[in-house]
Amino acid sequence: MAVIELKGVEKSFGSVKVIRGVDLKVEHGEFVVFVGPSGSGKSTLLRLVAGLEETSGGTILIDGRDVTNLGPAERELAMVFQSYALYPHKTIRGNMSFGLEVAGFPKDEIRQRVDEVARLLQLSDYLERKPRELSGGQRQRVAIGRAIVREPVAFMFDEPLSNLDAGLRVDMRIEITKLHQRLGATMIYVTHDQVEAMTLADRIVVLDKGIIQQTGSPLELYEHPANLFVAQFIGSPKMNVLPAAFKDGRISINGGVGIEAGKMTGTDVANVGIRPDDIEISPDGTGLIHGKVDVVERLGSDTFAYVAVPGAHAVTVRAPRDSAVAIGQDVGLTFRPERLQVFAADGASLRPRPGV
Amino acid sequence: MEKDSKRMTLDRRQFMQAAGAGLAATAVAGLPFAAAAQDKVELLLWAWTPDTQVQADMFTKKYPNISVKVENVGQGGPHYVKLRNAIQAGTGLPDLAQMEFNSIPSFKQLGVLADLGAAANPVKDQFIDWTWKAVSDGDKVYGIPWDSGPMGLLYRNDVFEKNKIEVPGTWDAYSEASLKLATDAPGTYMSNFGVSDAGWVAAVLWQAGWRPFHTEGTNITIKLNDDIAKKWAAYWQKLVDAKAVDTKPMWTTEWFAALDDGVHASWVTAAWAPVLMQNSMKKSVGLWRAAPMPQWTAGGTVTSNWGGSTFAAMTTTPHPEEAALFATFMGSDPEAAALWNSKQFLFPVLKSLIDDKALMGAPNAFYGGQAVNEIFVVSENQVDPSFEFAPFQDFVNQTMQDEMSASIAGSGTLGDAFDRLQDKVVAYATDQGYTVS
Amino acid sequence: MPDAVATRRRGRVYVTKSVAPYLFLLPFMALFVAFLIAPLCYAFGLSLFKTTMVAGTQFVGAANYLKVFTDPSFWDGVVLLFKFGLMQIPIMLGLALLYALILDSGRVYGRNFFRIAFFIPYAVPSVIAALLWGYLYGPSFGPFGQLAEFFHLPKPQFLLDGTILGSIANIAVWEFMGYNLIIYFAALQAIPQDLEEASSVDGATGLQYALRIKLPLIMPTVIVTIIFSIIGTLQLFSEPYLMRNLAPGIINSHYTPNFYAYTLAFTNQQYNYSAAVSFVLGGVVAVVSYVFMLLANRRAA
Amino acid sequence: MAIVSKTANSASFRNSRRWLTVALALYFIYTFIPIFYVIVSSTKSNADLFGTFGLWFSGDFHFWQNLQDLFTYQDGIFSRWLLNTILYSVVSGVGAALFATFAGYAFSKFEFVGKKLSFALVLGAVMIPQTALVIPIFLLLSKVGLVNTPWAVILPSLVFPPGVFLMKVYADDALSNELIEAGRVDGAGEVHIFFNIAFRLLTPGFATVLILAFVATWNNYFLPLVLLNSSDNFPVTVGLSQWYALATSGSGGAVLFSIVMAGSLVSIVPVIAAFLIMQRYWQGGLGAGGVKA
């Protein structure tokens, strides 16, 4: 399997810079997810790797070979598209065979490989059907099968699950994970859904405005976001952000009492962030900040309370599922200082990552 | 007939003598004729009269080395458009083309008409004088006449008798008859005033003495709206205003039907019309008669010509001698010429045929047994040969049709139409570089 | 992909993305240049010269164009076309739209039959259409004239000064209404079904749905057909050309600008001036289309 | 759906259905009059053509005779014209549709230098009057010796700018970029992708352009009129109008009128047949073009 390396990769459409210099190395067998909001450049970056777009600058290496100026076919990658991009006039077998036919494989081998992959993906019964006769999940599997059958050096996934309904999406997510384990292949996966990113990735690349905001394992990003953008993008529900300031060695939150600052790399504190799971509801009058419960969502496993805090956005709190919290209740909120993320005015995190 | 044809036929030996005289000229143009005649030659002729191929094959029978392919590229106007396009393109001209008398000056002006004099002058005397004058300039011959259209009057005997109308000998009588018929039999007209055919207008005015053009080199005299034209216009304007003539566009089915149904009681027309009518009309068989063309002065003997055409060879042909031979044959071979008359309704241009009592005197059932051609034979000999067409006659015809039709449709009088015509033609001629006077 | 033009890959010619568009465009563009651009350039060249019968050829620059701008024969034709277009286009497209809405309403019998039948005139060559209508218009032999005669009514006069423009317009309506109708119908069919359901839930009648939901939705299509009709109208040639012998007094040799260009070139041998007339006509077409598009966009905005 | 089916049974629905069908029938009559006229006329002799009521059959059924005359007059040249027309229309139609599909595909799916300009040129081409083109085309083709050959009609007819526009719109609509990219990732070259993947999906658009270009050539009159000289090369439109001219000017005799009528009928039948056979396609294609445009 392949190592994919990006060095200073840039892409502009006309005068619009979509990718502004990306350096990244994807290791053998690694599952890397590009995540970011729409317009962040994540799909473009994937298409640059796949060779579907031409770079405006920088170099792309696959296994050390410079493929920057090669067409998609010569990169020997496979890709699974958001719309599946199945050839509607070909049968499932035809769809899966096409790449091999183009490459000039002997008929017997093609048949054998397609049968094998179909068995793997439980598509054997549908091989002679046309794509329109299949369900969304089945089509998705065909699209993946088409990729597998070519035994590519790496797989590209471009939001492959976004056209599926929620339940199916979870199932397919698991299938893809299993597939990755079984094939041990290098995979690059693009999604705007941070849950998918968290569950699938060995490593997540968070993109915004054409720049890599942070690279790291799901937990690293969750625990130690490099900036406010990553902090807010990763994790569901979103991290709460409260205005803050540095005063006399302590951090004052929302104009209230300061708390111990702890280790910090700078003092131009503008915001603090705290995840909903790290907040506890305490009786009115206690805690660091105060507010009134606006909405209560009971999901069964969890209960989320949305607390209106004067001077700040609503603060989301994850409460135990049997929590008695009720709408209209005045509550106090406490959180552990060591869980607090601290951000400068430019969004950069002021909490150093462990070991840094 | 048998004897005549012997006299008339230009046989190969005679032709060789004629051609020999012109050898000096032809040697410049290319191979000596004798050498060319050894090879098979195919000539292309553009003509629109149906069955022309039959006559062309008669020629090939006589001259097996020369075959002729006839193409119909269009009827009249479109035919000339094709010729001019080919001239403009500098390629694609046929070897020969059918050419009406009134188009000869235009194409002569364009420099594409070959001089057939060497081959044709020996047979000059066989042609009716005015027709030869129309195609020649001294010893230069630009086309071989092969049919003509001396004018006469065709009328409906039944309508005339029913309404007690005498056959008019003069235009005044014709006018009176028109007014009388309009009063006595509403819906029936003495005639249709056919301004949509500029050829007809020119022919009728020709008889009245109208001589609108005289060209010498790049100098041209243009007198389209002279007194003769104005007098003629006033004559017809009166009848139009009195609704004593119909003004249908000519050559439409409606117009044909009007003749057939007796809505139009007469037609001042050319010698080729009788055969045409007898082929097109179904109801009026036996009801038509022919009479001489009405005269502007009582007892006058002036007629004119409408239509008729010639064969012209193009200067671009690689086989000028063969083309000349063919054109001469088509015009002067009595057998071929006789076929024109019987098969294609064409009126001959050869004296021998005109004088042929058997041919011209044949009674015709369509005309109640009248020998109509006799009327036109007289007319043919009375055609005033002094009429000249413009070297841009198509423009004149087009503009005349526009202006005259506009005046019939209510835009001023016919006299005004002639004034507008004069202005436009003068402007055009000046624009084309002529010195106009 | 700088030097990867077409590489051979396992026995198959492999054309890359950078060359492909040129390759795909090549056949059309080659012919486009040969039979549109080149003739146009040639004609433009012609229009700058003047060839006369006896005074030779000379370069005259814009003189031919200046002449067109003051040539009543040309502008009369343009005015006539405006009259023609203002009469023919609204009738043709209005009826086409109306009938497309009726067909699309689902409230008719024999929808497929009518749809095909309405398209058939488009299959009739304009030469034959003009010939047939010419017969139908005939005062004595035309069936309308015959009917009038039978009922002792005044014969309808289709070929007179006041009526012939309408008669020609009718031929154009007949030929192209079905074509536009099918385009509208296809556009209407593409409107999602649930809009009809939504509108009926909102309490709209079928008529209201047609006029207030469907009509605005296919307006872009309507605007395109209007532009094409404007262009077609300003190029009117065949119908008057073929009707001419039925009414030579009214349809003169410069009845429409296109006809005038034809006469100039083919009868008057003024090829140069004819080319200039054609270019000015092309300019008029472009200006009118552009003005209409501006108006349509402003209305839409 | 429930609402629709409820109204479908209502009296007012049935009533409006009746009236709307009557409205359609009126239009149908208008559409059909000239067609009916040519059908009726082609069954008549010349005498009856002008002697009987135009919109009904005469007692004397002359159709087969007219047909026979049509195909034997002038050594049966009409069948030659018919074959020419079919040749010109099929070659031009298929060629124009193919080239328009290539070009429309290129405009829809690729970025390249000069794309905007060339597409604007193609769109602008519809504004050019035909007379402006025919004369220079004639003069240019004369120079290369192609006048009066089938090529003179076929080559200019292969240029069908509206087809390019339609195919671009159709390709935008019916062909997803991802599908083509899938082909690229699968390793196929662009030509291979076009013929194996894209073309199949563009077929309805292709068929629409094919029939439009076919009809345009079939019905063309002016171009062949100017570019062809020998009657052996004429298409039906030019040949028939020449016979018609012959008939009206009288020199061929009036027998031609009923032949012209029969010829008119025969010449529109194949196009109508083509419409019927291909209707599924052209209707789809026109729709796509219409909505998106």
Side-chain angles (χ1 to χ4, degrees), chain A residues 78 80 96 113 117 120-121 141-152 155 157 179 183 187:
Chain A
V80 178
M96 289 169 63
R113 280 216 212 173
V117 171
L120 179 76
L121 295 170
R141 287 213 299 278
V142 175
I144 293 169
R146 179 171 69 178
I148 296 173
V149 84
R150 291 181 50 224
E151 298 177 2
F155 289 87
F157 294 89
L179 195 71
L183 297 174
M187 291 183 175

Side-chain angles (χ1 to χ4, degrees), chain B residues 182-213:
Chain B
T183 323
D184 294 355
T188 306
Y189 300 95
M190 183 66 177
S191 74
N192 187 59
F193 183 47
V195 292
S196 67
D197 192 316
W200 183 83
V201 175
V204 184
L205 270 164
W206 174 346
Q207 187 214 17
W210 190 56
R211 296 294 177 269
F213 299 106

